[in-house]
Amino acid sequence: MKSIKIAAIITLLLMIGISASLQAANRYSVNDGDWDSTSTWSASSNGASGASVPVAGDNVYIEKSHTVTVTTNAVCSSIIFPAGTTSNLYGILNINSGITLDVSGAITIPRAYGSYMNTLAVGAGTLNAGSIAFTNAGIVLRHQITIS
């Protein structure tokens, strides 16, 4: 009877641990770099690099004039670009040729500051997204989309 209780407790603890690890995470770009490099990502805005790369269920923030390049097939829940009120608040996301980025939810692209633009460059890659929203955040009244 005692061994059954111990086994039940161990099973419960394992289930709690597994469910905690399955929760979505936020990933913030803190450097220019490849999507699949931990030196590109932090677990907090302006945090230290070294966080795990984004995976399914994660929210991705392309921040502060960083350029992130998707060089291997990748997935995430959402992508949010910065809403700029100064010249260093814009983001660039490039998808390499032959590479697929799957975003199960929304990609949000606000207006950037001045002549700067948030950029989502798919090129010869593939982007699948639940939606793409061009929002009114930021201070310049323009958006640009190029499809080729």
Side-chain angles (χ1 to χ4, degrees):
M1 182 71 152
K2 192 173 189 178
S3 64
I4 293 174
K5 286 182 183 180
I6 292 173
I9 291 172
I10 291 172
T11 302
L12 178 63
L13 291 174
L14 285 172
M15 290 175 63
I16 290 170
I18 290 170
S19 68
S21 68
L22 294 178
Q23 292 180 0
N26 291 332
R27 290 293 173 256
Y28 299 84
S29 66
V30 291
N31 292 303
D32 292 344
D34 291 344
W35 181 283
D36 62 340
S37 172
T38 59
S39 65
T40 304
W41 303 108
S42 175
S44 60
S45 183
N46 295 318
S49 65
S52 61
V53 300
V55 296
D58 288 352
N59 302 307
V60 172
Y61 296 84
I62 308 296
E63 294 198 311
K64 299 190 178 147
S65 69
H66 297 140
T67 299
V68 177
T69 303
V70 183
T71 58
T72 61
N73 293 338
V75 296
C76 66
S77 179
S78 66
I79 298 175
I80 301 96
F81 285 81
T85 56
T86 63
S87 63
N88 70 338
L89 291 180
Y90 65 94
I92 299 170
L93 179 63
N94 298 313
I95 302 172
N96 279 359
S97 176
I99 301 302
T100 299
L101 174 61
D102 287 310
V103 182
S104 60
I107 298 173
T108 304
I109 307 173
R111 297 178 191 132
Y113 177 81
S115 62
Y116 299 95
M117 280 192 263
N118 286 313
T119 302
L120 173 58
V122 177
T126 301
L127 172 67
N128 299 308
S131 65
I132 299 176
F134 295 96
T135 65
N136 290 327
I139 63 171
V140 178
L141 302 177
R142 65 183 164 82
H143 279 107
Q144 176 178 323
I145 183 169
T146 304
I147 300 172
S148 57

